[in-house]
Amino acid sequence: MYAFRILTFSSCIALFGCQSPEIIEQFSTESTTQVALLSELESVPMRLPSNKSVSITSKSQALKYQDINSPVALFELPADRGEFSINISSEIGETAFVPRAVILDKNGRELERYGKDVFIYQPPRLGAGNRLSAEVDFFPPRDNTNVYLLIYTDRSELGKTTMVTHPARLYAEGRGNYLPEVKDIAIPNSEYGLVSVSIDRVGFLKHLAIGSASSDSSSQPLMAKSVDIVQPETQQYYHQAITAAVADDDLNKAINLLEEAKALNVEGAQQVFVKAVEDRKNTL
């Protein structure tokens, strides 16, 4: 009934050898895209660990069921591997898709529900743009092989706005300053957007965020090496990329690169950023 179209991102920075998640569109080939039964929705299967993104557009499958009346993204999650963490993110661009989420079993019984208050605004950082994001831990009930994560928006959000940090404020904060006179930007909400879901063992993402090793002590030397030892080529890349971004007046990109460099312990990144800003200012 429904078809998939997979759009592949080019890649992450080759320096890290990582791969961007594929972007999937779940859309209907019929004259109407809205259904009234959960069983009629197409789902994106996920394994531990994995990361998937779904683009929700005017052609996407939509659901009108109980209190849900929205285009939706549906993910099939493993339920026989024990507890795991779920990160749900909605990218904010020219519009904002304000997400809600519910986890259901194969019979459509609700297991967990995550409202608007769970999704926190995150400013651009580490290559990611403005977004609404939630991270939760989920322990599947017994006797379930798979469960389903349904992401939608509430129609009450339409006509409202989501506030994001002004780029000038990010720029100032990158220099260690504060600009109280710069107001945040209001982004109109929409029923369309790009949502991403990543799942992993509980604790892995949190440990990675604070620079700690996992509970397996054998992994500690490897993680310490990947964080603490920075190759000259890596340092040169970030210094040049930050300088070029500032010269091109792309401050968001420069700040994202600076954050990445700091996370990798690249020496001199802050000084390079400040000098590039000063040089740029002197040329104006």
Side-chain angles (χ1 to χ4, degrees):
M1 177 179 179
Y2 291 93
F4 282 89
R5 184 169 67 201
I6 299 177
L7 309 175
T8 305
F9 273 166
S10 56
S11 65
C12 289
I13 299 175
L15 184 64
F16 301 111
C18 61
Q19 292 183 344
S20 297
E22 61 186 15
I23 296 183
I24 300 168
E25 289 189 15
Q26 298 172 309
F27 64 95
S28 172
T29 56
E30 296 184 352
S31 58
T32 178
T33 61
Q34 189 175 69
V35 300
L37 298 175
L38 294 170
S39 59
E40 296 184 55
L41 295 173
E42 193 73 58
S43 61
V44 178
M46 299 188 69
R47 296 184 297 177
L48 274 171
S50 62
N51 185 357
K52 301 285 186 180
S53 296
V54 170
S55 178
I56 301 177
T57 71
S58 59
K59 296 181 180 180
S60 295
Q61 58 185 2
L63 177 66
K64 188 173 184 180
Y65 175 76
Q66 296 184 357
D67 61 337
I68 300 174
N69 183 11
S70 165
V72 299
L74 185 65
F75 299 82
E76 182 179 350
L77 311 181
D80 56 356
R81 305 289 299 276
E83 187 177 10
F84 56 90
S85 63
I86 306 173
N87 185 282
I88 307 169
S89 182
S90 174
E91 181 179 300
I92 302 175
E94 295 182 357
T95 59
F97 179 89
V98 182
R100 311 285 204 276
V102 59
I103 298 181
L104 310 159
D105 67 11
K106 63 181 179 181
N107 297 316
R109 181 171 63 93
E110 182 176 314
L111 304 175
E112 297 285 350
R113 180 176 288 267
Y114 309 111
K116 177 183 178 180
D117 58 322
V118 179
F119 292 87
I120 307 300
Y121 166 68
Q122 303 288 346
R125 187 173 184 272
L126 297 178
N130 290 299
R131 62 206 182 280
L132 297 170
S133 181
E135 184 172 344
V136 298
D137 293 337
F138 175 67
F139 195 90
R142 293 185 177 183
D143 303 323
N144 281 266
T145 303
N146 298 292
V147 294
Y148 297 90
L149 173 64
L150 179 71
I151 300 175
Y152 64 99
T153 192
D154 194 279
R155 300 202 71 81
S156 64
E157 296 295 339
L158 303 182
K160 298 180 180 179
T161 59
T162 296
M163 305 303 293
V164 303
T165 305
H166 196 289
R169 186 188 296 274
L170 293 173
Y171 167 64
E173 291 175 351
R175 300 184 61 189
N177 299 326
Y178 179 63
L179 294 177
E181 69 276 11
V182 176
K183 304 299 182 182
D184 290 340
I185 300 174
I187 303 296
N189 294 341
S190 171
E191 58 184 337
Y192 309 125
L194 177 65
V195 296
S196 299
V197 172
S198 62
I199 59 174
D200 211 325
R201 301 291 183 185
V202 168
F204 176 78
L205 296 177
K206 295 176 182 176
H207 289 164
L208 182 61
I210 62 175
S212 300
S214 66
S215 57
D216 183 0
S217 61
S218 64
S219 66
Q220 292 179 2
L222 178 60
M223 291 190 69
K225 178 179 179 182
S226 64
V227 172
D228 294 335
I229 299 178
V230 179
Q231 298 298 321
E233 295 83 358
T234 303
Q235 179 173 304
Q236 182 181 16
Y237 167 81
Y238 277 101
H239 287 190
Q240 292 178 347
I242 291 171
T243 300
V246 173
D248 292 339
D249 204 24
D250 192 344
L251 297 181
N252 278 339
K253 180 179 180 181
I255 292 172
N256 287 337
L257 287 165
L258 176 61
E259 292 289 346
E260 290 181 6
K262 287 181 176 179
L264 292 170
N265 286 347
V266 174
E267 292 185 1
Q270 179 72 34
Q271 292 85 343
V272 168
F273 177 81
V274 172
K275 183 179 183 301
V277 170
E278 292 297 331
D279 291 346
R280 173 65 177 170
K281 184 170 62 175
N282 293 334
T283 60
L284 297 178

